């Protein structure tokens, strides 16, 4: 009975942008480290805290957290398109446990997950996000209103408490960029057409999907060339966030507020909520130590890009 953690940034631009060779090599080395860590740990089960970018979750019904009893990859940006291997009765059991602890967790019997959720599993398992049994956990990271970070922490803690006494090797994954501000529309500033998409844009046409993706790819190209009008990455903010992860004092996450994150780290910096949930889950299992940390601000990927691993002390 043991637990471990892998938190990493994702970017749909990994295969659609061309950073300098040295950057690509450094990122690939961090992925190789993650693979070795996870393969050595050999999890029986993965708990995957992931965001969504208006591919699976829309404003017609937007929960702060949702556990999938079944899940299917949307295949956006050529990401994994297929069913995940979700142990449904396990998911039902976890949901009841978490709800009994006062967390209003939503559930889905037909969840759709996008690149943000599946990319770590794809990187770990040679493109196969169904390679391991996984409990897919959506953490709202792009669509206001956001719950306070203390609630994300409480949610992660409840998930961790469930696994503390379980006789299995459990890997908590958190998937999200640190500071970044990709061109995902905000409801408050969106056009009517964008608002309709944000509310009910599920299953777009191939043309609509291609246009969206081409827009992001072009923004990334311009951002790397210093020509895009999106907010810059914030390496200082990223390093401070990583320091809280490293400290083991997960209460330190509570000081992050949505308004300040938007202002200094970009509208998608909320993806660190997946990290907060994952680190809080691990902390609920015991004191931990961060065993690996990689960080680069990478404009080509529109991401403060980090990879960390952690194990329980003495683990
Ligand atoms: O969903 C999109 O169109 C863009 C997503 C994106 C871009 C850059 C970094 C990320 O973490 C993303 O999810
Ligand atoms: Fe993302």
């Amino acid at each position: 009975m043991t637990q471990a953690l892998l938190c990493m940034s994702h970017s749909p631009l990994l295969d659609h942008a061309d950073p300098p060779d040295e950057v690509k090599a450094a990122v690939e080395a961090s992925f190789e480290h993650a693979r070795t860590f996870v393969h050595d740990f050999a999890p029986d089960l993965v708990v995957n805290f992931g965001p969504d970018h208006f591919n699976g979750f829309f404003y017609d019904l937007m929960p702060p957290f949702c556990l999938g009893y079944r899940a299917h990859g949307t295949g956006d940006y050529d990401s994994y398109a297929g069913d995940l291997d979700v142990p449904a009765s396990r998911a039902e059991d976890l949901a009841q446990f978490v709800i009994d602890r006062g967390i209003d967790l939503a559930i889905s019997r037909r969840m759709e997950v996008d690149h943000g959720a599946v990319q770590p599993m794809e990187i770990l398992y040679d493109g196969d996000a169904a390679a391991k049994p996984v409990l897919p956990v959506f953490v709202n990271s792009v669509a206001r209103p956001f719950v306070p970070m203390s609630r994300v922490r409480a949610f992660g803690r409840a998930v961790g408490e469930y696994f503390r006494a379980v006789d299995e090797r459990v890997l908590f994954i958190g998937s999200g960029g640190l500071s970044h501000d990709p061109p995902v529309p905000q409801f408050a500033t969106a056009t009517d057409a964008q608002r309709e998409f944000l509310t009910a844009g599920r299953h777009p046409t191939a043309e609509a999907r291609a246009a969206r993706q081409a827009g992001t790819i072009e923004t990334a190209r311009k951002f790397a060339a210093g020509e895009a009008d999106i907010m810059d990455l914030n390496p200082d903010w990223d390093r401070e966030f990583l320091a809280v992860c490293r400290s083991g004092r997960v209460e330190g996450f509570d000081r992050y507020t949505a308004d300040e994150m938007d202002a200094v780290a970009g509208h998608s910096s909320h993806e660190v909520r997946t990290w907060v949930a994952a680190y809080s889950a691990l902390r609920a299992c015991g004191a931990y130590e961060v065993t690996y940390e990689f960080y680069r601000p990478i404009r080509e990927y529109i991401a403060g890009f980090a990879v960390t691993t952690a194990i329980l002390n003495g683990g």
Side-chain angles (χ1 to χ4, degrees), residues 138-157:
F138 163 74
V139 179
N140 175 26
S141 302
V142 295
R144 277 177 176 258
F146 294 115
V147 295
M149 215 53 114
S150 56
R151 292 300 292 165
V152 183
R153 185 164 65 79
F155 170 55
R157 181 175 60 215

Side-chain angles (χ1 to χ4, degrees), residues 49 64-65 103 139-142 144-158 176-179 237 240-242 244-245 249-262 264-281:
F49 296 100
F65 316 113
I103 308 287
V139 179
N140 175 26
S141 302
V142 295
R144 277 177 176 258
F146 294 115
V147 295
M149 215 53 114
S150 56
R151 292 300 292 165
V152 183
R153 185 164 65 79
F155 170 55
R157 181 175 60 215
L178 305 188
S179 64
W237 189 89
E240 262 185 46
F241 179 80
L242 290 169
V244 180
C245 297
R249 290 186 295 279
V250 291
E251 316 75 48
F253 293 128
D254 294 3
R255 70 181 152 80
Y256 288 87
T257 65
D259 285 348
E260 203 202 340
M261 290 169 71
D262 273 356
V264 304
H267 294 93
S268 287
S269 63
H270 302 288
E271 287 185 356
V272 298
R273 289 163 179 272
T274 65
W275 288 50
V276 170
Y279 269 99
S280 301

Side-chain angles (χ1 to χ4, degrees), residues 227-243:
E227 295 162 7
D229 59 357
I230 58 173
M231 195 185 293
D232 205 355
L233 307 177
N234 187 338
D236 290 342
W237 189 89
D238 294 343
R239 291 195 175 96
E240 262 185 46
F241 179 80
L242 290 169

Side-chain angles (χ1 to χ4, degrees), residues 170-242:
V170 178
L171 177 71
F172 300 120
I173 290 182
S175 173
L178 305 188
S179 64
H180 64 313
D181 194 39
V184 178
Q186 299 294 306
F187 197 88
T189 51
T191 63
D192 285 350
Q194 286 173 325
R195 286 184 173 188
E196 181 55 26
F197 161 72
L198 295 174
T199 305
R202 205 169 274 107
H203 306 150
T205 62
E207 292 75 24
R209 177 184 271 184
R212 171 181 175 176
Q213 297 181 179
T216 305
I217 292 165
E218 177 60 4
T219 301
R221 191 195 62 71
K222 285 190 179 158
F223 190 39
E227 295 162 7
D229 59 357
I230 58 173
M231 195 185 293
D232 205 355
L233 307 177
N234 187 338
D236 290 342
W237 189 89
D238 294 343
R239 291 195 175 96
E240 262 185 46
F241 179 80
L242 290 169

